[in-house]
Amino acid sequence: MSRILAVSRRTFSALSIPNFRRYFFGQSTSLIGTWMHSVAQSWLVFTLTHSATAIGFVLALQTLPVLLLGPYGGVIADRVDKRRLMIALQTLMGVQALVLGLLVVTHVVVFWEICVLAVVLGLNNCFENPARQSFVREMVGAQQVRNAVSLNSTMVNAARAVGPAVAGLLIATVGVGVCFLVNAVSFIAVVYSLVSMDTTALRPSAPTARARGQLREGIRYVAHTPRLGVPLLMMAIVGTLAYEFQVTLPVLAKVTFGGNAATYGFLTSAMGVGAVAGGLVTATRGRTGLRPLTIAACTFGVAMLCAALSPILAVAFVALAAMGWTSVTFLATGNTTLQLEAAPTMRGRVMALWAVAFMGSTPVGGPIIGWVVALAGARIGLGVGAMSAFVAAAIGLVFAVKLGTLHAHKDVEPPSADGVLPVTDVVPKDADGAPDVAEVAEIAV
């Protein structure tokens, strides 16, 4: 029993921090609404247009601002109070959901209006995402950042398990517009959690003074730091072709397996269930660095390939659960690696580039996968995603060999802005000889 309690404390250690605990539960409520919105939007577009390419086009419009303005969003995140910026942008995202919901329930919505509102949401995301990603460390400190990021990934995917299933049932009973209205209301929870935080307990990074060339400085910093540049490259490849589930899953549900909105919701929920399990394992015993990221990319590719080859719906549910597990492991490992490696004054810009690699790649990948699915079916679309994960894993392997043994970093001493790593003590290794981040964090405390 004592062993179980110890593991439980380690798994949820970041929740012992009041501000993070408040934020975690507020964000959990909002994310259920966000996943409902995501499922409803894809289903609405598919219902109006009967085109997988149209779904990819809307997703491209939604993420195009992240591709174009995401790096600048990181510059802003490094300059301003991240909490206040998030309050303003989360409020605007709630208004966007409300407008779309009213258009749908009044039966006046047309395709171009969905496109415009998708762009509005994307503009919010390109500034909110880097602020939110880098704000995690301000809430919990360096020693808890890996656990907090993993719990955040678990939270996102727990919402993925609940939100799409609820959305599928609501679409089938009361209509797609209600999903958008529920999402609008859900933003109240996360805004309240941010407004009511104990600001004296936060550990904000010193704001970066406004200066010319800060965006170029951040890009040069990443380009000359392989421990940052290679994970970003891997994420860009996988993000472009593998994380286009909003394009592939509606077609997999309706065309491949002959289902309906509820089928789509439950397929997405299966991914969420697997991702919750994967996120909890990563939070308990996750590792950071290029080698674990390479392994995660490879296993993600295998899971996607299994989903693509699933002969019946029951097998697809299992394969999608595995896909959820491995996808969240890849995301959490990459995200934490960047947060621990990046210098404090560069963290906003580095995480903005992560958002560009993850979300900003959709304007390219969404239409490509939409075209592939329209031409050859959802199975081939998933297969293309699997191949991209294998390519990313191969790149990670090449650089892991080139760089030799991965450096074991202490959470309390990130590298400087010029990419020079500090001298560190000998750190514990796991059974494979890789640095055990959990043990390093405990020593640092």
Side-chain angles (χ1 to χ4, degrees):
M1 180 62 71
S2 61
R3 175 66 175 172
I4 294 175
L5 291 174
V7 171
S8 178
R9 282 194 296 269
R10 181 184 238 176
T11 302
F12 301 102
S13 59
L15 291 178
S16 64
I17 300 169
N19 275 338
F20 181 72
R21 184 168 62 247
R22 182 184 297 270
Y23 169 81
F24 183 88
F25 290 111
Q27 188 78 344
S28 297
T29 303
S30 180
L31 281 171
I32 292 173
T34 297
W35 277 109
M36 292 174 63
H37 185 115
S38 176
V39 168
Q41 179 177 280
S42 292
W43 193 259
L44 176 64
V45 172
F46 195 56
T47 302
L48 290 175
T49 66
H50 305 287
S51 169
T53 304
I55 300 175
F57 179 71
V58 171
L59 291 177
L61 289 176
Q62 185 170 310
T63 49
L64 185 61
V66 179
L67 177 63
L68 299 178
L69 299 175
Y72 184 67
V75 173
I76 298 301
D78 282 335
R79 288 178 180 173
V80 303
D81 185 311
K82 298 175 182 62
R83 184 182 68 93
R84 292 181 179 178
L85 179 63
M86 290 169 63
I87 290 170
L89 294 177
Q90 291 274 356
T91 301
L92 290 174
M93 291 161 76
V95 172
Q96 184 268 352
L98 177 63
V99 171
L100 182 55
L102 291 175
L103 287 173
V104 176
V105 297
T106 55
H107 307 289
V108 297
V109 67
V110 292
F111 181 66
W112 71 264
E113 292 171 336
I114 301 173
C115 294
V116 170
L117 289 170
V119 172
V120 172
L121 182 59
L123 286 170
N124 274 278
N125 281 332
C126 74
F127 292 96
E128 192 271 344
N129 202 289
R132 173 165 42 83
Q133 297 278 359
S134 50
F135 184 61
V136 170
R137 182 159 175 158
E138 295 190 4
M139 286 187 287
V140 303
Q143 287 78 22
Q144 293 288 357
V145 69
R146 177 186 61 80
N147 183 262
V149 168
S150 297
L151 288 177
N152 265 335
S153 297
T154 304
M155 169 178 62
V156 170
N157 289 286
R160 179 191 284 174
V162 176
V166 175
L169 294 174
L170 288 178
I171 293 170
T173 53
V174 295
V176 68
V178 175
C179 297
F180 302 121
L181 297 178
V182 171
N183 181 39
V185 173
S186 73
F187 279 99
I188 295 173
V190 68
V191 171
Y192 174 76
S193 74
L194 291 166
V195 170
S196 60
M197 276 186 181
D198 178 8
T199 56
T200 62
L202 296 175
R203 310 170 192 185
S205 303
T208 302
R210 183 185 298 271
R212 292 174 61 87
Q214 288 178 324
L215 177 55
R216 292 191 299 274
E217 180 187 15
I219 294 173
R220 283 197 303 269
Y221 171 55
V222 168
H224 289 87
T225 311
R227 294 174 308 278
L228 300 174
V230 175
L232 283 170
L233 175 61
M234 293 171 68
M235 184 68 252
I237 294 169
V238 175
T240 300
L241 297 174
Y243 281 93
E244 309 301 343
F245 307 128
Q246 289 173 283
V247 178
T248 53
L249 294 189
V251 183
L252 188 72
K254 189 168 186 177
V255 178
T256 305
F257 292 116
N260 54 21
T263 308
Y264 171 39
F266 284 117
L267 282 173
T268 309
S269 295
M271 276 193 66
V273 170
V276 169
L280 290 174
V281 170
T282 304
T284 305
R285 199 67 182 175
R287 300 178 179 89
T288 62
L290 194 51
R291 191 176 76 171
L293 188 63
T294 299
I295 295 171
C298 187
T299 56
F300 182 32
V302 171
M304 283 199 79
L305 196 58
C306 291
L309 298 174
S310 297
I312 59 174
L313 186 60
V315 176
F317 281 131
V318 176
L320 285 168
M323 203 163 79
W325 182 308
T326 52
S327 70
V328 77
T329 302
F330 179 76
L331 280 175
T333 303
N335 186 303
T336 311
T337 296
L338 294 182
Q339 294 228 37
L340 292 177
E341 293 285 1
T345 56
M346 290 286 183
R347 194 169 296 121
R349 278 164 281 184
V350 170
M351 298 316 296
L353 291 173
W354 172 260
V356 170
F358 178 35
M359 298 172 60
S361 55
T362 297
V364 179
I368 290 174
I369 296 299
W371 175 78
V372 170
V373 170
L375 185 68
R379 294 185 188 278
I380 302 300
L382 289 170
V384 171
M387 293 304 106
S388 73
F390 292 141
V391 169
I395 291 172
L397 179 62
V398 168
F399 277 92
V401 172
K402 182 177 179 180
L403 295 174
T405 303
L406 297 180
H407 184 82
H409 44 261
K410 281 189 178 183
D411 292 355
V412 295
E413 198 173 8
S416 63
D418 60 5
V420 177
L421 286 164
V423 176
T424 58
D425 299 328
V426 175
V427 299
K429 308 284 186 179
D430 62 21
D432 300 321
D436 188 329
V437 178
E439 295 300 326
V440 173
E442 289 179 359
I443 291 173
V445 174

